[in-house]
């Protein structure tokens, strides 16, 4: 069996994640608005206003979290180095280079959590890095997308 070729793939903010957050925020705002219109809050007294205020506050907190989560998405490069081949042991490794740091970090785990063909949600972990979630999109480097997907499958085999 042949290993996947070495690959360096750029990782940045994912437009798909931003759109998912925007759609979920819009849907939840629509449902909340319909609830407020249909429930006639002004006639429900104090508890109606408390419920209404709590719902609006929860929505605002969620939207702030979604925006900050997307805005602070890890940016850098994911590196795959295949093993040395027959008789050389399994020297396969994943590395993560953060955009803010020049030194690559060795990853102990790279897991495909959700594979949507054109984008993949990865969970990466390593010493000194903790656990991070990355959306990797085909549009980041279309020429190497298939190589990255091969490396993700090869590293789990």
């Amino acid at each position: 069996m042949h290993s996947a070729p070495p690959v360096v793939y750029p990782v940045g903010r994912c437009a798909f994640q931003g759109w998912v957050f925007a759609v979920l925020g819009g849907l939840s705002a629509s449902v909340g608005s319909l609830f407020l219109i249909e429930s006639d809050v002004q006639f429900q007294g104090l508890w109606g206003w408390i419920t209404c205020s709590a719902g609006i506050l929860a929505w605002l907190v969620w939207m702030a979290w979604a925006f900050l989560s997307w805005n602070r998405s890890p940016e850098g490069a994911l590196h795959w180095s295949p093993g040395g081949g027959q008789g050389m042991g399994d020297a396969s490794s994943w590395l993560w280079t953060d955009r803010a740091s020049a030194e690559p970090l060795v990853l102990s785990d790279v897991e495909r959590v959700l594979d949507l063909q054109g984008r993949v949600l990865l969970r990466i972990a390593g010493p000194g890095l903790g656990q991070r979630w990355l959306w990797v999109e085909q549009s980041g480097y279309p020429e190497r997308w298939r190589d990255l997907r091969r490396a993700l499958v090869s590293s789990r085999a």
Side-chain angles (χ1 to χ4, degrees):
M1 181 172 142
H2 296 285
S3 182
V7 65
V8 176
Y9 204 85
V11 178
R13 282 192 202 111
C14 177
F16 176 73
Q17 179 187 16
W19 280 107
V20 167
F21 283 158
V23 167
L24 288 175
L27 285 174
S28 61
S30 299
V31 168
S33 298
L34 283 174
F35 172 77
L36 292 176
I37 291 168
E38 293 297 320
S39 66
D40 229 357
V41 174
Q42 62 186 355
F43 297 113
Q44 293 184 8
L46 179 63
W47 287 111
W49 287 106
I50 290 174
T51 304
C52 172
S53 299
I56 292 170
L57 181 63
W59 181 80
L60 288 172
V61 167
W62 185 87
M63 287 300 292
W65 172 85
F67 175 75
L68 290 174
S69 172
W70 177 78
N71 195 40
R72 294 179 179 170
S73 296
E75 296 182 85
L78 204 52
H79 308 259
W80 163 252
S81 300
Q86 295 177 348
M88 295 188 68
D90 183 21
S92 300
S93 65
W94 282 102
L95 300 172
W96 169 253
T97 304
D98 200 305
R99 191 163 284 175
S101 166
E103 222 26 62
L105 298 169
V106 177
L107 299 175
S108 57
D109 190 30
V110 175
E111 178 185 359
R112 276 184 311 159
V113 177
L114 181 63
D115 191 340
L116 301 173
Q117 302 302 314
R119 55 196 50 87
V120 177
L121 177 62
L122 301 174
R123 185 187 63 78
I124 64 172
L129 181 68
Q131 178 175 297
R132 291 190 183 179
W133 296 84
L134 306 173
W135 277 104
V136 183
E137 293 185 295
Q138 182 176 4
S139 61
Y141 194 1
E143 300 82 26
R144 299 303 304 262
W145 179 248
R146 291 177 59 122
D147 294 338
L148 175 69
R149 290 179 50 83
R150 276 190 220 103
L152 288 168
V153 171
S154 173
S155 68
R156 295 308 260 179

